[in-house]
Structure formats: structure tokens, C-alpha cells
Amino acid sequence: MEKQKTSAKQIMINYGLLLGLVSIVISVANYAFGNIYKPHWIVTVIGFIIPVVFIVMGIKKVKEQNNGYLKLGEAIKTSLGIVLISAIIFLIYFILFTNFIEPEFYARSLEFKKQIMLDTYPNMSDEQLENAMKMQEKFSNNMVTSAFIIIFNLVYGLIVGLIGGLIMKKTKEEVTSI
């Protein structure tokens, strides 16, 4: 029985779903440990490393499906597909989280940011603090957060896909010219 090839689209979906689920698990663990507003630095580092692992695995799988050949564009497309699907999955969770699990998320987040500003800049005037908080409030809603999550993930995916693609790139033209 012949082994059926997985399409690049299916690889993006599979790795995107897995990355999205892992991101949710990390977020839930962070919440359970009471670190939702200020994650431990290890969580931040892990949050940057895990997507790289899933993206590289996805790109490698696409390369395997193409008999060891990989174009840079395929690597970038795969990377962007994985992070976009992951971001959408995480956004669904995040919107549910901020609306039902922790409806005071944005208000508490603003209070936490206010305290950080006061600790960091103890000489800040009341007017400066008020202006800074008004600016923070503008960015404290699901629409802005959703846009930020999507854009950040796409930029991060582009960078990782570009680097991974440059490292793993191998075209038929390169093989025949050697």
C-alpha cells in the first residue's frame, strides 16, 4: 500500500492547530499560576521558542514531501500559514477568556500597567500618568489586541520562515549546477 503524501496546506493546518493548542495551554498554565499580567521570563522565552520549533518542523515536512527540495517561497508560505492558523485558534480562546473567564482582564491589566509606570517613573506627574493611561485604554480592547496578535504572529512567522527557508532551501537548479 502506497503512503499518501500530505499537502502543504494540510501541513500548515496540522502544525498551526498544534501550535495554537500549545499556546492556549501555556496561557492557561500562566493564568492558573496567577501570572497572567506579568508572565515569568521563562514563559516569555518559551513563547518565542515553541513557534520556531513548530514552524521549522512544518517547513521540514514540506521539504520531505517535495523529495528533499524546498524553495524559499514555500518555506515562507508554510511558516505564514502555520502562524496564521495558530493565531486564529489562540484568538478564539483569548476572546472567550476576556469575555467569560476573566471579564475584568483589561481593567486589571490597566491597573497593573499603571502600577508599573508609577514604580518605574516615581516622579511622573498626575497629568503625565493620566495621559499615559488614556493611551493604554485605547489599546485595551479585543479589536486592537486581535489585530496586534495577528500582525505580530505574521511578522514573527515571516522572519522565522525566511531564516528557516534560507537554511533549508534546496532547489533542483542548485543540485544540477553542482
Side-chain angles (χ1 to χ4, degrees), residues 91-104:
L91 271 176
I92 292 167
Y93 157 76
F94 188 75
I95 290 168
L96 291 172
F97 176 80
T98 57
N99 286 320
F100 301 107
I101 299 169
E102 185 76 17
E104 297 296 315

Side-chain angles (χ1 to χ4, degrees), residues 13-30:
I13 291 170
N14 290 345
Y15 284 98
L17 287 172
L18 287 172
L19 179 56
L21 292 174
V22 168
S23 299
I24 291 169
V25 168
I26 290 170
S27 183
V28 168
N30 221 12

Side-chain angles (χ1 to χ4, degrees), residues 8-177:
K9 183 178 176 181
Q10 192 59 49
I11 291 168
M12 288 183 247
I13 291 170
N14 290 345
Y15 284 98
L17 287 172
L18 287 172
L19 179 56
L21 292 174
V22 168
S23 299
I24 291 169
V25 168
I26 290 170
S27 183
V28 168
N30 221 12
Y31 178 70
F33 289 115
N35 297 329
I36 197 73
Y37 303 106
K38 186 180 180 206
H40 192 275
W41 67 270
I42 287 284
V43 174
T44 305
V45 170
I46 289 170
F48 277 96
I49 292 172
I50 288 178
V52 172
V53 170
F54 280 94
I55 291 168
V56 169
M57 288 181 352
I59 293 171
K60 187 175 178 198
K61 187 79 169 170
V62 168
K63 184 176 180 177
E64 287 172 11
Q65 294 299 323
N66 291 330
N67 298 318
Y69 296 108
L70 179 73
K71 294 180 184 175
L72 182 58
E74 292 172 319
I76 292 171
K77 182 175 102 174
T78 302
S79 177
L80 290 175
I82 291 169
V83 295
L84 182 61
I85 291 166
S86 169
I88 291 169
I89 298 297
F90 183 79
L91 271 176
I92 292 167
Y93 157 76
F94 188 75
I95 290 168
L96 291 172
F97 176 80
T98 57
N99 286 320
F100 301 107
I101 299 169
E102 185 76 17
E104 297 296 315
F105 174 79
Y106 288 112
R108 289 181 183 164
S109 179
L110 284 171
E111 279 301 313
F112 183 78
K113 289 174 186 173
K114 181 179 181 179
Q115 191 57 49
I116 288 175
M117 279 189 236
L118 289 171
D119 293 344
T120 307
Y121 307 105
N123 297 329
M124 184 181 261
S125 71
D126 289 342
E127 184 181 335
Q128 289 173 319
L129 181 62
E130 187 178 319
N131 289 336
M133 293 311 295
K134 282 181 184 176
M135 185 62 76
Q136 288 289 330
E137 282 179 44
K138 289 180 183 178
F139 295 104
S140 294
N141 63 59
N142 277 333
M143 289 297 284
V144 174
T145 303
S146 298
F148 177 77
I149 289 171
I150 296 284
I151 292 168
F152 177 82
N153 276 279
L154 289 174
V155 170
Y156 191 71
L158 177 66
I159 293 167
V160 174
L162 180 62
I163 294 169
L166 287 170
I167 292 169
M168 290 190 264
K169 179 178 92 153
K170 181 178 176 185
T171 62
K172 292 177 185 175
E173 294 83 33
E174 291 174 337
V175 173
T176 56
S177 67

